[in-house]
Tab-separated table of all heavy atoms in Angstrom:
chain	number	residue	atom	x	y	z
A	1	THR	N	-8.298	3.541	-18.575
A	1	THR	CA	-7.034	2.828	-18.790
A	1	THR	C	-5.922	3.735	-18.265
A	1	THR	O	-5.438	4.618	-18.980
A	1	THR	CB	-6.810	2.515	-20.280
A	1	THR	OG1	-7.961	1.854	-20.800
A	1	THR	CG2	-5.600	1.629	-20.457
A	2	PRO	N	-5.514	3.574	-17.007
A	2	PRO	CA	-4.581	4.517	-16.377
A	2	PRO	C	-3.265	4.719	-17.133
A	2	PRO	O	-2.735	5.835	-17.128
A	2	PRO	CB	-4.328	3.882	-14.997
A	2	PRO	CG	-5.589	3.108	-14.714
A	2	PRO	CD	-6.007	2.564	-16.053
A	3	GLU	N	-2.779	3.672	-17.814
A	3	GLU	CA	-1.517	3.840	-18.531
A	3	GLU	C	-1.577	4.942	-19.563
A	3	GLU	O	-0.561	5.577	-19.902
A	3	GLU	CB	-1.147	2.520	-19.244
A	3	GLU	CG	-1.206	1.278	-18.422
A	3	GLU	CD	-2.594	0.659	-18.369
A	3	GLU	OE1	-3.009	0.020	-19.353
A	3	GLU	OE2	-3.252	0.833	-17.319
A	4	LYS	N	-2.763	5.193	-20.099
A	4	LYS	CA	-2.915	6.191	-21.163
A	4	LYS	C	-2.843	7.622	-20.628
A	4	LYS	O	-2.782	8.580	-21.408
A	4	LYS	CB	-4.241	5.978	-21.918
A	4	LYS	CG	-4.279	4.683	-22.699
A	4	LYS	CD	-5.573	4.543	-23.478
A	4	LYS	CE	-5.591	3.270	-24.311
A	4	LYS	NZ	-6.867	3.124	-25.075
A	5	ALA	N	-2.854	7.784	-19.305
A	5	ALA	CA	-2.768	9.105	-18.712
A	5	ALA	C	-1.426	9.383	-18.035
A	5	ALA	O	-1.211	10.478	-17.499
A	5	ALA	CB	-3.913	9.300	-17.719
A	6	GLN	N	-0.521	8.424	-18.057
A	6	GLN	CA	0.749	8.590	-17.371
A	6	GLN	C	1.582	9.751	-17.897
A	6	GLN	O	2.347	10.371	-17.167
A	6	GLN	CB	1.553	7.285	-17.454
A	6	GLN	CG	0.924	6.083	-16.739
A	6	GLN	CD	0.873	6.272	-15.230
A	6	GLN	OE1	1.606	7.084	-14.668
A	6	GLN	NE2	0.010	5.524	-14.567
A	7	HIS	N	1.419	10.062	-19.208
A	7	HIS	CA	2.211	11.105	-19.814
A	7	HIS	C	1.878	12.496	-19.293
A	7	HIS	O	2.632	13.459	-19.537
A	7	HIS	CB	2.022	11.090	-21.324
A	7	HIS	CG	0.637	11.514	-21.767
A	7	HIS	ND1	-0.465	10.668	-21.630
A	7	HIS	CD2	0.161	12.678	-22.278
A	7	HIS	CE1	-1.532	11.275	-22.065
A	7	HIS	NE2	-1.192	12.501	-22.467
A	8	LEU	N	0.775	12.638	-18.557
A	8	LEU	CA	0.344	13.946	-18.098
A	8	LEU	C	1.191	14.485	-16.940
A	8	LEU	O	1.160	15.682	-16.640
A	8	LEU	CB	-1.132	13.893	-17.680
A	8	LEU	CG	-2.125	13.592	-18.804
A	8	LEU	CD1	-3.525	13.382	-18.255
A	8	LEU	CD2	-2.128	14.755	-19.822
A	9	GLY	N	1.922	13.617	-16.295
A	9	GLY	CA	2.837	14.059	-15.226
A	9	GLY	C	2.165	14.390	-13.931
A	9	GLY	O	2.686	15.182	-13.128
A	10	VAL	N	1.002	13.782	-13.671
A	10	VAL	CA	0.292	13.972	-12.417
A	10	VAL	C	-0.064	12.611	-11.828
A	10	VAL	O	0.132	11.566	-12.501
A	10	VAL	CB	-0.999	14.791	-12.626
A	10	VAL	CG1	-0.675	16.167	-13.149
A	10	VAL	CG2	-1.988	14.092	-13.542
A	11	GLU	N	-0.605	12.588	-10.616
A	11	GLU	CA	-1.064	11.322	-10.051
A	11	GLU	C	-2.185	10.757	-10.896
A	11	GLU	O	-3.096	11.472	-11.331
A	11	GLU	CB	-1.557	11.534	-8.616
A	11	GLU	CG	-2.066	10.243	-7.980
A	11	GLU	CD	-2.652	10.435	-6.587
A	11	GLU	OE1	-2.589	11.589	-6.053
A	11	GLU	OE2	-3.222	9.460	-6.053
A	12	VAL	N	-2.135	9.458	-11.174
A	12	VAL	CA	-3.150	8.811	-11.993
A	12	VAL	C	-3.849	7.727	-11.185
A	12	VAL	O	-3.195	6.934	-10.503
A	12	VAL	CB	-2.511	8.176	-13.268
A	12	VAL	CG1	-3.584	7.487	-14.093
A	12	VAL	CG2	-1.811	9.255	-14.094
A	13	ARG	N	-5.169	7.702	-11.260
A	13	ARG	CA	-5.982	6.681	-10.605
A	13	ARG	C	-6.956	6.129	-11.612
A	13	ARG	O	-7.374	6.819	-12.567
A	13	ARG	CB	-6.754	7.278	-9.414
A	13	ARG	CG	-5.878	7.870	-8.322
A	13	ARG	CD	-6.739	8.468	-7.195
A	13	ARG	NE	-5.938	9.158	-6.177
A	13	ARG	CZ	-6.438	9.804	-5.126
A	13	ARG	NH1	-7.761	9.848	-4.949
A	13	ARG	NH2	-5.624	10.404	-4.263
A	14	PRO	N	-7.395	4.853	-11.418
A	14	PRO	CA	-8.394	4.290	-12.348
A	14	PRO	C	-9.756	4.980	-12.197
A	14	PRO	O	-10.137	5.370	-11.115
A	14	PRO	CB	-8.470	2.814	-11.920
A	14	PRO	CG	-7.961	2.807	-10.504
A	14	PRO	CD	-6.979	3.903	-10.377
A	15	GLY	N	-10.436	5.121	-13.332
A	15	GLY	CA	-11.731	5.811	-13.271
A	15	GLY	C	-12.689	5.355	-14.358
A	15	GLY	O	-12.982	6.059	-15.307
A	16	ASP	N	-13.203	4.119	-14.197
A	16	ASP	CA	-14.158	3.549	-15.136
A	16	ASP	C	-15.570	3.934	-14.721
A	16	ASP	O	-16.014	3.608	-13.625
A	16	ASP	CB	-14.002	2.025	-15.167
A	16	ASP	CG	-14.827	1.359	-16.252
A	16	ASP	OD1	-15.865	1.920	-16.661
A	16	ASP	OD2	-14.429	0.249	-16.706
A	17	TYR	N	-16.295	4.650	-15.597
A	17	TYR	CA	-17.636	5.101	-15.269
A	17	TYR	C	-18.588	3.948	-14.957
A	17	TYR	O	-19.642	4.178	-14.331
A	17	TYR	CB	-18.224	5.901	-16.437
A	17	TYR	CG	-17.612	7.266	-16.675
A	17	TYR	CD1	-16.517	7.724	-15.912
A	17	TYR	CD2	-18.082	8.101	-17.676
A	17	TYR	CE1	-15.963	8.974	-16.152
A	17	TYR	CE2	-17.526	9.363	-17.908
A	17	TYR	CZ	-16.474	9.787	-17.145
A	17	TYR	OH	-15.920	11.024	-17.370
A	18	ASN	N	-18.259	2.745	-15.370
A	18	ASN	CA	-19.115	1.585	-15.138
A	18	ASN	C	-18.775	0.847	-13.860
A	18	ASN	O	-19.393	-0.198	-13.583
A	18	ASN	CB	-19.012	0.628	-16.332
A	18	ASN	CG	-19.637	1.183	-17.596
A	18	ASN	OD1	-20.785	1.584	-17.608
A	18	ASN	ND2	-18.833	1.243	-18.666
A	19	ASP	N	-17.826	1.344	-13.083
A	19	ASP	CA	-17.366	0.639	-11.882
A	19	ASP	C	-17.494	1.531	-10.662
A	19	ASP	O	-16.551	2.213	-10.261
A	19	ASP	CB	-15.888	0.221	-12.081
A	19	ASP	CG	-15.400	-0.755	-11.037
A	19	ASP	OD1	-15.980	-0.768	-9.927
A	19	ASP	OD2	-14.454	-1.508	-11.318
A	20	PRO	N	-18.675	1.500	-10.019
A	20	PRO	CA	-18.914	2.396	-8.868
A	20	PRO	C	-17.922	2.198	-7.721
A	20	PRO	O	-17.480	3.185	-7.081
A	20	PRO	CB	-20.331	2.047	-8.420
A	20	PRO	CG	-20.993	1.499	-9.654
A	20	PRO	CD	-19.899	0.782	-10.390
A	21	ALA	N	-17.576	0.954	-7.413
A	21	ALA	CA	-16.656	0.689	-6.309
A	21	ALA	C	-15.266	1.275	-6.594
A	21	ALA	O	-14.630	1.865	-5.718
A	21	ALA	CB	-16.546	-0.810	-6.054
A	22	GLN	N	-14.824	1.125	-7.829
A	22	GLN	CA	-13.542	1.689	-8.221
A	22	GLN	C	-13.575	3.200	-8.141
A	22	GLN	O	-12.621	3.842	-7.660
A	22	GLN	CB	-13.194	1.231	-9.642
A	22	GLN	CG	-11.855	1.757	-10.147
A	22	GLN	CD	-11.722	1.529	-11.647
A	22	GLN	OE1	-12.181	2.334	-12.455
A	22	GLN	NE2	-11.086	0.420	-12.026
A	23	LEU	N	-14.661	3.798	-8.609
A	23	LEU	CA	-14.789	5.244	-8.569
A	23	LEU	C	-14.741	5.768	-7.151
A	23	LEU	O	-14.098	6.776	-6.858
A	23	LEU	CB	-16.098	5.681	-9.243
A	23	LEU	CG	-16.167	5.509	-10.771
A	23	LEU	CD1	-17.601	5.633	-11.244
A	23	LEU	CD2	-15.276	6.543	-11.461
A	24	LEU	N	-15.443	5.083	-6.248
A	24	LEU	CA	-15.459	5.524	-4.843
A	24	LEU	C	-14.034	5.506	-4.274
A	24	LEU	O	-13.641	6.452	-3.592
A	24	LEU	CB	-16.361	4.591	-4.029
A	24	LEU	CG	-16.454	4.867	-2.539
A	24	LEU	CD1	-16.935	6.292	-2.271
A	24	LEU	CD2	-17.351	3.831	-1.851
A	25	GLN	N	-13.299	4.450	-4.560
A	25	GLN	CA	-11.922	4.367	-4.039
A	25	GLN	C	-11.028	5.463	-4.666
A	25	GLN	O	-10.221	6.104	-3.964
A	25	GLN	CB	-11.346	2.998	-4.350
A	25	GLN	CG	-9.936	2.792	-3.792
A	25	GLN	CD	-9.442	1.352	-4.003
A	25	GLN	OE1	-10.131	0.535	-4.607
A	25	GLN	NE2	-8.265	1.067	-3.506
A	26	SER	N	-11.194	5.682	-5.958
A	26	SER	CA	-10.324	6.653	-6.654
A	26	SER	C	-10.652	8.096	-6.275
A	26	SER	O	-9.803	8.986	-6.424
A	26	SER	CB	-10.452	6.473	-8.159
A	26	SER	OG	-9.856	5.248	-8.583
């Protein structure tokens, strides 16, 4: 859930372990 990492102050990308296509892109 990328919104939950926005407070870290770095670039945020989606990273669902169950989504290989998304992981490859990210």
